[in-house]
Amino acid sequence: MDLKICMGCGTRMDVPVVLADEAVLVCEECGHRQPFLRLPMFALTGPSGTGKSTVSRLLTGLLGDQVVVLEQDVLWTAGLRDPHNDFQLFRSTWLRMVGMIHQSGRPVVLCGTVVPVQFEEIPERPLIGDIHYLALTCDRLVMRERLRARPAWREWDEPRIDEMLEFNDWVRREAATMKPPMRLLDTTDRPVEDTAREVADWVRTGLAQKTS
């Protein structure tokens, strides 16, 4: 179900209203109260070139019976590329989509570049339970070569690569100070299969904490 539409009167809520400490939506128009499943989400993030997409393909085999694994870029289309307010429409749409998937009883692992503030401060945030953040990072020289090796259609010229390297440095420097903090995992010398297993263990630990 679409958590932004009241099941009582059909009003579409621009800002979802959730009772404090409860998974209950409240319609400001008719007062209807609708319980919903508010499950954890796992954001596998980090700069481009650190292995997110490759790891996400392996996660479906490792975690497919427990979670739904999704790639952020699948919605990076047309009107959702609106740069207003740091692409808030794109990220709001994702949280809305994740909230809908959660109603099936399956938590979501969302793979794509994001930092906590881009999710934690948008109106749709109350639709999701705890969001766990794990950022893949990489050595600068290795990342540069990985990005240079990408197909031409992805348009990774040197200025764009330099920007991503700066972002990689920033993530490494600031991850512990973010709210919530991001865990880091260096993929420089780690086989992708090992990275995928460690990410899967991280997800399982988060799921166990929720149910313990």
Side-chain angles (χ1 to χ4, degrees), residues 53-123:
S53 295
T54 305
V55 167
S56 70
R57 296 187 185 101
L58 298 178
L59 289 179
T60 56
L62 294 169
L63 295 167
D65 60 336
Q66 298 173 274
V67 301
V68 177
V69 181
L70 298 171
E71 275 267 8
Q72 274 197 72
D73 285 353
V74 74
L75 292 185
W76 187 242
T77 58
L80 293 182
R81 294 191 182 191
D82 181 357
H84 176 70
N85 203 10
D86 194 17
F87 297 95
Q88 181 174 310
L89 178 60
F90 173 70
R91 306 190 196 285
S92 293
T93 302
W94 260 121
L95 288 193
R96 185 179 177 188
M97 179 73 73
V98 170
M100 293 170 66
I101 293 171
H102 281 174
Q103 302 318 297
S104 69
R106 304 276 294 277
V108 166
V109 177
L110 186 60
C111 306
T113 300
V114 69
V115 293
V117 67
Q118 293 171 317
F119 276 155
E120 300 295 332
E121 297 186 5
I122 60 178

Side-chain angles (χ1 to χ4, degrees), residues 45-47 49-50 114-116 134-144 146 164-178 181-190:
T45 181
T50 55
V114 69
V115 293
L134 173 59
L136 304 184
T137 62
C138 185
D139 174 80
R140 288 176 62 91
L141 293 178
V142 172
M143 181 183 293
R144 184 180 293 277
R146 289 178 181 177
M164 191 55 60
L165 294 177
E166 291 177 9
F167 178 61
N168 181 63
D169 293 342
W170 179 82
V171 167
R172 284 176 153 179
R173 186 173 62 250
E174 301 294 337
T177 68
M178 296 181 189
M182 291 198 300
R183 176 176 171 180
L184 297 180
L185 180 58
D186 193 315
T187 67
T188 303
D189 300 312
R190 189 186 303 266

Side-chain angles (χ1 to χ4, degrees), residues 3-55:
L3 299 179
K4 292 186 72 172
I5 297 178
C6 174
M7 295 185 68
C9 67
T11 296
R12 185 183 185 280
M13 297 172 278
D14 291 330
V15 179
V17 177
V18 177
L19 290 182
D21 301 322
E22 295 185 50
V24 178
L25 287 161
V26 181
C27 177
E28 293 186 307
E29 290 293 322
C30 72
H32 177 76
R33 296 190 175 197
Q34 178 64 46
F36 70 102
L37 289 176
R38 186 162 56 182
L39 302 180
M41 188 183 92
F42 300 85
L44 179 62
T45 181
S48 298
T50 55
K52 297 186 300 298
S53 295
T54 305
V55 167

